[in-house]
Amino acid sequence: MLHEPAVQAGKDPAFPFKRKLGVRLFCVYALVYAAFIAINVIKPQIMETIVLGGLNLAVIYGFGLILFALILALIYSSICSRRERSLAESKGA
Amino acid sequence: MVQALPVVLFILIVSLVLAMSFYFARKAKSASGYYAAGGSIHWGVNGIAFAGDYLSAASFLGICGMIATAGYDGFLYSIGYLAGWIVALFIVAEPLKRLGKYTFTDAIDSKFNSKGIKLMAAISTLVVSLFYLIPQMVGAGVLVTPLLGLPHYVGVIMVGIIVITIVATAGMTSTTYVQFIKGALLIVFSTILVVGLCVRGLSTTPDQGGQVPFHDYVSIPASRSGDTIVPADASYRVQSVTTVKGVELARLEKSGLVTWWQVETVDGSLSLRETQSVVTLASGERLVNGRAESADNRLALVGNMERIDGQTGEAADTGPISPFRFLALIGSPDSTIRLWKEVKLKDGDDKVSVYYDRPVSGNRIMRPGLSFKVEGTPLERIDFISLMIALFLGTAALPHILIRYYTVPSPKAARKSTIVAIAAIGAFYILTLFMGLGAMTNGVVNLADNNMSAPLLARSFGTFLFSMISAIAFATVLGTVSGLIIAASGAVAHDLMDRFGGIIKDDKHKVRAGKVAAFVVGALAIVLGILFKGQNVSFLVGLAFAVAASANLPSIVMMLFWKRTTSKGISASILVGILSSIGLILLSPTMFELFGLDPASAPFPLKNPGIVSIPLSFITIVVVSLLTKADQLPEPGEKAALLQKA
């Protein structure tokens, strides 16, 4: 017996597009995150460099990773919603 | 002494939570209502509930405690935990919502309908949930002592009973609203605390908001004579000198009072610096700083700046400052913070813990390296990488997080709720850096247990804030434990008893089985919470992430992105992920230390297993899938279509 979702979702024509976009944005973030780890293990002293307003690279990069995640998430959602709308409209037309 | 306000607020929050559970109980009659809140939760509520689920005792108590004692290294947990949501949003959110029903097992088994997957995924859910439950229960015990004046084990038992009541009465609906309220309160009151910190500013003589006079630890000039030390102050008599892990300590006696002092050389001059100590005598009696432990004689709270941007004394007091200035001043190379460390030794039949401080410059505090040995041996660096990988990949594999995708009506709502979660969780994690550093510099760090740093920081702003923060922290534990127990009970009743064993007769039977499972898992969590007392809760959660990332993530990712994945490949991958991650943890230096063995003799040299166990699980799924390709049944058409052709 197969498991049915709690709430049945209809076909989603935007799914392949969203999946591809998700993977690309994931790769972008993973690269920035990997660079953060790399700096910390290769030359952690760089993290002491004062970058902006007396704040060092460690703080700026750390906060940056948190904010970057939110920015990418908003971009992703906005593009996905636009694609879902346009596909729904073209189907309706 | 226990104050009335914290007790009243605590009872109020617990009553609110229980009232909500009984109110929503009517919605939990069906399995869909009990396990997935009927899939009817609004995405905004679910997003904050995600934050409530995720911002567990580890985030609030553990991270703040780790930042308070190890600076930026604690903040790395915040960064890693938040980064994990990227994997959740971009890779798993929508497909999982589309394929699953009540548990994450439903989603990964949706293409296969395999008994092996059901069994393995259910076991994995139980194991990860239990690993994650331990730190939450430890956190509960930590909170009740200062809040209600009760022993650690009473707090653990109390949380266990309340949570079992919440879960057994109303399941996922009440859990969701508990999470929502708790998540929102946590962010609001943490913000208030950080605003208070900035308004107070920085000082080299913090006095906990005027409640406790600042204690300046003294140094006595001394000289070395042969194997012993001679203090300049003749009223002290040196009884013994010993070196433990590179720290030279002297036991001094003055007027019958025996205390421990650190031997240090500053600018070429030898001196003895005051420490704090706990001596456990062979009889079991405990001496704190030489005197019998009592309500009036406990370890003093510590942590202060010695220099602020080159200034000392009253001239260094900043008055109100902006949040950025707060961070800049603490991180300045011209600032010095006194950080405390613990060293343990045997003194005859007595067990001694000596807590000593040392000056650390601001620029070292505000970059990695105090706790994680990023400048150490290659193995120590690999250990750090391993932790960061596990944090990044663990979030999207946590069963109690994944089941929250089934509480919203559509994949689009799943996506939107994840974004709300990222915004709320990200904001909170930024606040953790301020709260942790605030505790470090405001003299509120409890040397025996750094998990209490954030609530104790709140106490320095008055009883109300302390009461609210502590009550919210307690609700934090309640909420997260509820989510974990729901996930575990779903694994037992839905995955094992119904899908795997086929012994569930109807919907009502499934709900009843889930409630019994919740009771058993809750009881087990109580026992584990008592056994693991004293461990840093964030560290323990880091291990839970490693197990989740090793056991669950490879199968989720490969099922979604590799068409040749087979059911046997998934089952084998989950099994290898669980066994390798737990096996490596048991063989790690951390466990050796926990059980009183020499950490250097641990067969596996890393504390964090992810860098080995995650790739191993991926390799297993690929190899076994390729080997068992011929055995694979044709994919059930309509299910495959959901994924591949949607």
Side-chain angles (χ1 to χ4, degrees):
Chain A
M1 183 180 147
L2 289 170
H3 312 169
E4 299 306 322
V7 178
Q8 285 291 348
K11 256 196 164 185
D12 180 7
F15 182 75
F17 171 81
K18 289 190 286 187
R19 189 161 78 159
K20 201 180 285 178
L21 178 67
V23 170
R24 283 180 184 166
L25 292 177
F26 164 78
C27 290
V28 170
Y29 192 85
L31 275 176
V32 180
Y33 185 78
F36 175 75
I37 299 172
I39 295 172
N40 282 319
V41 291
I42 295 167
K43 203 139 177 87
Q45 300 84 353
I46 293 177
M47 285 293 179
E48 289 178 22
T49 314
I50 303 295
V51 177
L52 190 69
L55 299 178
N56 66 16
L57 182 62
V59 174
I60 297 286
Y61 209 144
F63 283 1
L65 275 169
I66 292 174
L67 291 175
F68 189 45
L70 180 60
I71 291 165
L72 281 187
L74 290 170
I75 291 171
Y76 172 71
S77 184
S78 156
I79 295 174
C80 288
S81 296
R82 204 178 312 147
R83 174 57 71 110
E84 283 165 351
R85 267 197 310 273
S86 73
L87 284 173
E89 280 165 13
S90 64
K91 199 180 168 189
Chain B
M1 197 184 82
V2 179
Q3 294 170 306
L5 187 61
V7 178
V8 170
L9 282 173
F10 169 82
I11 293 172
L12 207 68
I13 293 240
V14 171
S15 306
L16 178 72
V17 165
L18 289 176
M20 224 155 42
S21 298
F22 293 123
Y23 174 75
F24 286 116
R26 62 192 166 81
K27 283 196 170 185
K29 302 282 186 237
S30 68
S32 167
Y34 182 78
Y35 293 108
S40 60
I41 302 288
H42 184 272
W43 57 265
V45 172
N46 203 53
I48 299 295
F50 258 133
D53 247 326
Y54 199 63
L55 299 178
S56 63
S59 295
F60 186 48
L61 303 177
I63 291 179
C64 290
M66 202 174 270
I67 294 173
T69 51
Y72 191 86
D73 278 357
F75 187 57
L76 288 168
Y77 276 96
S78 294
I79 294 169
Y81 286 147
L82 192 278
W85 282 91
I86 284 294
V87 187
L89 175 65
F90 294 153
I91 307 291
V92 307
E94 289 199 46
L96 218 75
K97 169 64 192 165
R98 188 163 285 280
L99 296 176
K101 187 175 185 183
Y102 301 146
T103 63
F104 110 98
T105 307
D106 290 340
I108 59 167
D109 190 38
S110 60
K111 285 169 67 181
F112 306 102
N113 195 25
S114 148
K115 290 249 179 194
I117 291 181
K118 290 179 186 75
L119 179 65
M120 284 302 138
I123 290 172
S124 163
T125 299
L126 283 173
V127 169
V128 174
S129 298
L130 276 176
F131 255 82
Y132 211 101
L133 271 170
I134 297 169
Q136 312 306 324
M137 300 304 272
V138 171
V142 162
L143 277 167
V144 293
T145 304
L147 188 66
L148 304 177
L150 300 169
H152 180 277
Y153 74 91
V154 176
V156 175
I157 293 171
M158 204 189 291
V159 163
I161 292 170
I162 297 168
V163 165
I164 289 168
T165 310
I166 295 171
V167 175
T169 48
M172 196 55 164
T173 311
S174 71
T175 300
T176 298
Y177 284 98
V178 168
Q179 304 288 30
F180 172 74
I181 291 171
K182 163 218 137 174
L185 283 175
L186 188 60
I187 293 165
V188 168
F189 277 88
S190 297
T191 307
I192 291 171
L193 187 54
V194 171
V195 170
L197 262 180
C198 293
V199 170
R200 176 186 283 173
L202 293 166
S203 161
T204 53
T205 54
D207 58 2
Q208 296 182 38
Q211 298 170 38
V212 180
F214 175 71
H215 178 74
D216 204 358
Y217 287 81
V218 298
S219 290
I220 307 169
S223 56
R224 200 178 287 276
S225 171
D227 287 342
T228 191
I229 307 285
V230 182
D233 183 342
S235 63
Y236 285 95
R237 192 173 61 83
V238 174
Q239 292 186 328
S240 66
V241 178
T242 181
T243 300
V244 185
K245 292 181 180 171
V247 183
E248 192 174 13
L249 299 164
R251 191 177 65 197
L252 268 59
E253 183 268 335
K254 181 183 179 182
S255 309
L257 186 71
V258 177
T259 49
W260 288 85
W261 295 68
Q262 185 197 357
V263 182
E264 60 177 11
T265 305
V266 181
D267 299 330
S269 303
L270 195 73
S271 62
L272 291 163
R273 184 161 174 84
E274 187 183 358
T275 68
Q276 293 201 62
S277 62
V278 176
V279 178
T280 308
L281 304 175
S283 62
E285 189 190 353
R286 278 161 59 94
L287 304 176
V288 176
N289 299 328
R291 293 190 174 88
E293 185 180 38
S294 68
D296 298 324
N297 184 42
R298 295 182 192 278
L299 286 171
L301 303 182
V302 298
N304 70 291
M305 294 185 79
E306 195 170 60
R307 278 189 316 153
I308 302 174
D309 211 16
Q311 305 274 338
T312 56
E314 281 185 18
D317 291 359
T318 63
I321 46 176
S322 74
F324 294 121
R325 184 84 182 131
F326 178 87
L327 296 179
L329 285 175
I330 292 176
S332 164
D334 295 323
S335 293
T336 311
I337 294 114
R338 294 214 73 98
L339 285 189
W340 289 71
K341 288 190 88 170
E342 179 187 13
V343 65
K344 290 181 177 175
L345 63 138
K346 287 276 282 180
D347 184 30
D349 290 337
D350 303 340
K351 289 178 189 163
V352 183
S353 288
V354 178
Y355 302 92
Y356 64 98
D357 69 345
R358 68 204 197 287
V360 181
S361 70
N363 53 331
R364 291 290 288 116
I365 298 269
M366 290 294 271
R367 69 130 161 122
L370 285 182
S371 175
F372 303 122
K373 307 296 177 204
V374 291
E375 289 168 285
T377 63
L379 269 178
E380 286 170 330
R381 293 175 196 220
I382 290 170
D383 205 6
F384 170 73
I385 296 170
S386 184
L387 171 71
M388 295 307 283
I389 291 173
L391 297 183
F392 187 45
L393 300 179
T395 301
L398 292 172
H400 73 292
I401 295 296
L402 296 178
I403 58 169
R404 190 150 287 294
Y405 283 121
Y406 305 130
T407 63
V408 290
S410 66
K412 187 176 180 179
R415 181 176 80 229
K416 286 165 118 178
S417 64
T418 311
I419 292 166
V420 173
I422 290 175
I425 294 167
F428 176 80
Y429 279 148
I430 286 176
L431 298 176
T432 59
L433 185 60
F434 291 93
M435 290 190 284
L437 292 173
M440 175 193 275
T441 55
N442 275 272
V444 295
V445 177
N446 180 347
L447 290 169
D449 192 344
N450 63 32
N451 290 317
M452 272 305 284
S453 298
L456 289 174
L457 175 65
R459 191 167 70 178
S460 74
F461 286 94
T463 309
F464 177 73
L465 201 53
F466 169 63
S467 310
M468 276 311 294
I469 290 280
S470 298
I472 292 165
F474 198 78
T476 294
V477 175
L478 290 183
T480 306
V481 174
S482 308
L484 286 163
I485 291 185
I486 284 268
S489 77
V492 173
H494 178 66
D495 298 335
L496 285 179
M497 294 175 71
D498 184 10
R499 302 299 186 189
F500 179 75
I503 56 172
I504 295 288
K505 293 175 201 144
D506 54 33
D507 219 34
K508 279 187 180 167
H509 186 196
K510 190 187 278 188
V511 174
R512 208 163 50 241
K515 291 179 179 182
V516 173
F519 181 83
V520 174
V521 175
L524 195 56
I526 289 172
V527 175
L528 292 172
I530 294 169
L531 288 178
F532 278 80
K533 177 189 174 186
Q535 286 287 305
N536 179 283
V537 294
S538 199
F539 171 73
L540 289 171
V541 165
L543 295 183
F545 269 61
V547 178
S550 310
N552 300 342
L553 194 78
S555 51
I556 296 172
V557 170
M558 297 304 270
M559 185 271 291
L560 292 173
F561 291 95
W562 195 45
K563 288 177 183 172
R564 295 162 83 180
T565 303
T566 65
S567 59
K568 285 180 182 163
I570 289 181
S571 303
S573 158
I574 296 174
L575 182 66
V576 168
I578 296 172
L579 293 180
S580 61
S581 55
I582 293 181
L584 293 176
I585 288 170
L586 290 175
L587 297 174
S588 72
T590 310
M591 283 297 138
F592 270 53
E593 199 168 5
L594 191 68
F595 292 110
L597 302 168
D598 177 15
S601 64
F604 183 64
L606 306 180
K607 292 177 180 171
N608 301 285
I611 201 163
V612 176
S613 54
I614 298 169
L616 198 61
S617 185
F618 269 110
I619 291 168
T620 302
I621 202 168
V622 171
V623 171
V624 176
S625 291
L626 290 175
L627 290 175
T628 58
K629 197 181 162 201
D631 305 338
Q632 186 65 34
L633 292 168
E635 289 176 352
E638 73 272 30
K639 276 296 184 185
L642 270 175
L643 243 188
Q644 311 296 343
K645 297 174 190 169

